[in-house]
Amino acid sequence: MVQHIILSIGLLCLGRADATAQKIFGIAGDVFGSYDLETLERDTMFYLVDRVTLNAGFNSTIDRFNGRYFFGGNLPGYEGNFHVIDLNENTVSSHHVTPTPTHIEYDFVRNRLVFESDGGIYSMDLQSLVPRKLSQVENSHSTIWGQKR
């Protein structure tokens, strides 16, 4: 009983620390940076060649477990339409993926992305980077909401 209480308190403390030590990552103008929700500090991770004009063709998601930020769309200074930003090393690997991933969600259980593009829902294994069509979307219009469970 005492061990259970100590374990519960330990997990509660760890959960609380993780919840307050969150960072938001993203692109603002020509900067890829982070914003710490606990300390309110901003950090420029790297500069892009030119300003990014965000529109409906851009989307992103994050793998917080492995420190990867996935970006679908054109990124100035990088070839390809899909980019993996390593948040630990501040490096970008760019890839040509057809179709262009939009409305991206990270599926951590299967280490894949699920995304909508060109009127269909696709999954893409992050080892092979080969998209596989899962289904057609009626009227070629939909949006993926929330994390895949």
Side-chain angles (χ1 to χ4, degrees), residues 58-70:
F58 289 85
N59 215 298
S60 64
T61 192
I62 192 167
D63 169 9
R64 291 196 181 275
F65 303 104
N66 299 303
R68 297 179 296 181
Y69 184 90
F70 306 104

Side-chain angles (χ1 to χ4, degrees), residues 66-109:
N66 299 303
R68 297 179 296 181
Y69 184 90
F70 306 104
F71 185 84
N74 296 321
L75 199 56
Y78 297 93
E79 293 294 323
N81 60 353
F82 175 68
H83 313 278
V84 180
I85 301 171
D86 185 318
L87 300 174
N88 301 309
E89 303 293 325
N90 286 347
T91 58
V92 179
S93 61
S94 299
H95 311 276
H96 291 281
V97 176
T98 303
T100 299
T102 58
H103 303 291
I104 304 170
E105 291 293 334
Y106 177 63
D107 178 356
F108 67 92
V109 173

Side-chain angles (χ1 to χ4, degrees), residues 43-54:
D43 183 26
T44 299
M45 299 181 76
F46 59 86
Y47 286 93
L48 300 167
V49 174
D50 198 1
R51 294 181 64 85
V52 174
T53 304
L54 296 180

Side-chain angles (χ1 to χ4, degrees), residues 103-145:
H103 303 291
I104 304 170
E105 291 293 334
Y106 177 63
D107 178 356
F108 67 92
V109 173
R110 294 176 185 87
N111 191 35
R112 69 178 183 169
L113 296 179
V114 177
F115 64 94
E116 175 195 352
S117 187
D118 294 338
I121 302 294
Y122 296 80
S123 71
M124 183 169 63
D125 176 75
L126 290 170
Q127 297 298 320
S128 66
L129 295 179
V130 175
R132 184 171 67 96
K133 191 167 190 174
L134 299 175
S135 67
Q136 187 69 27
V137 177
E138 188 174 331
N139 300 325
S140 298
H141 186 291
S142 76
T143 302
I144 299 172
W145 298 99

